[in-house]
């Protein structure tokens, strides 16, 4: 994890900035087209 955070992530971020793009991160829960943004089963905080 440390190696990814120190080496891979800065390279990904720099490439996105250079290309005028965005970096979007998603977890393995999945994203639905009819998703209600802002609601979760997780605890607040």
């Amino acid at each position: 994890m440390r190696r990814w955070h120190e080496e891979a992530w800065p390279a990904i971020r720099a490439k996105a900035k250079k290309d005028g793009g965005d970096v979007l991160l998603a977890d393995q829960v999945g994203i639905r087209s009819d998703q209600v943004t802002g609601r979760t089963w997780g605890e607040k905080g």
Side-chain angles (χ1 to χ4, degrees):
M1 188 68 195
R2 181 175 43 87
R3 184 170 156 197
W4 182 88
H5 189 269
E6 293 175 357
E7 297 174 18
W9 174 241
I12 293 167
R13 200 171 50 195
K15 180 164 175 34
K17 184 176 181 180
K18 176 182 160 233
D19 294 345
D22 295 317
V23 178
L24 304 175
L25 304 173
D27 62 17
Q28 294 179 1
V29 172
I31 299 173
R32 296 172 41 152
S33 62
D34 62 346
Q35 175 178 326
V36 180
T37 304
R39 299 196 182 262
T40 181
W41 291 104
E43 294 183 35
K44 288 185 178 181

